[in-house]
Amino acid sequence: MKQLRKDSARYCDTTTNTQHNSLSQNAMTLRNFPSDYLEQCRQALTAQQSKSLAETENWSHVDKQQVHIDWDILYKELTPLVEGSLPSSPEVQALMSRHYSIAVRFYTPSREAYIGLGLFYQDNPDMRAYHNHFHPRMVDFLGEAIQVFAQRNL
């Protein structure tokens, strides 16, 4: 875990203003992260989800119907922000805080696992189709917004 956090810090834009106020044109985006770090994020997601599934009888504690309702509401609120907003904008990041609060109903992901979740949305054809039915660029926008939230808050 310490190695992942060290790698994450190394790959992040070190401009304090960029990290805490807005995503500038030169800020770190998922496309700019080295592939080995992104693979570490994917692996962190897989490991943490697998552990959680095993410990919780496949997330039996989660009201999955309510989670799906909450995701739907959140994505409908995020949809109009995909065009014309930055993933780092306060409005988008407030929604990412809600996104994270829904995710933690299952387990509490580390920074890397949460970034890995955004990558999973991009990599998995079913997840990509689900998210992009809200907006054709939703998955990519969401991945960037998750990455900003994770770097700032986790």
Side-chain angles (χ1 to χ4, degrees):
M1 182 58 99
K2 287 183 181 181
Q3 181 64 38
L4 288 174
R5 293 226 186 264
K6 181 180 174 185
D7 289 346
S8 173
R10 179 176 43 162
Y11 297 136
C12 289
D13 183 2
T14 57
T15 307
T16 302
N17 193 33
T18 301
Q19 275 189 345
H20 296 291
N21 294 327
S22 69
L23 188 64
S24 73
Q25 296 292 359
N26 298 320
M28 184 60 71
T29 65
L30 285 174
R31 291 183 308 274
N32 301 120
F33 280 88
S35 60
D36 63 329
Y37 177 70
L38 297 178
E39 187 55 33
Q40 288 175 340
C41 293
R42 288 178 178 98
Q43 290 174 8
L45 174 69
T46 299
Q48 290 176 26
Q49 281 187 342
S50 296
K51 182 177 188 251
S52 175
L53 282 163
E55 292 175 350
T56 64
E57 297 180 30
N58 294 318
W59 295 324
S60 61
H61 66 287
V62 177
D63 181 345
K64 293 174 185 76
Q65 182 177 6
Q66 185 61 51
V67 165
H68 288 290
I69 291 167
D70 294 343
W71 287 131
D72 189 65
I73 291 168
L74 180 110
Y75 293 140
K76 286 177 179 172
E77 290 177 35
L78 184 60
T79 296
L81 301 176
V82 172
E83 299 294 332
S85 296
L86 293 173
S88 60
S89 72
E91 298 83 8
V92 171
Q93 287 302 298
L95 291 173
M96 290 305 93
S97 179
R98 284 180 40 208
H99 184 274
Y100 184 77
S101 72
I102 296 169
V104 300
R105 293 180 198 172
F106 295 89
Y107 68 102
T108 303
S110 67
R111 173 188 293 174
E112 288 72 24
Y114 193 53
I115 293 171
L117 182 61
L119 295 169
F120 175 71
Y121 292 164
Q122 294 175 0
D123 296 343
N124 181 285
D126 292 335
M127 294 303 280
R128 177 173 280 281
Y130 168 75
H131 288 91
N132 280 350
H133 96 268
F134 291 97
H135 187 284
R137 290 188 32 230
M138 179 65 81
V139 165
D140 294 329
F141 188 83
L142 185 58
E144 295 299 334
I146 286 172
Q147 181 268 139
V148 171
F149 182 86
Q151 296 299 337
R152 289 181 181 174
N153 299 290
L154 305 179

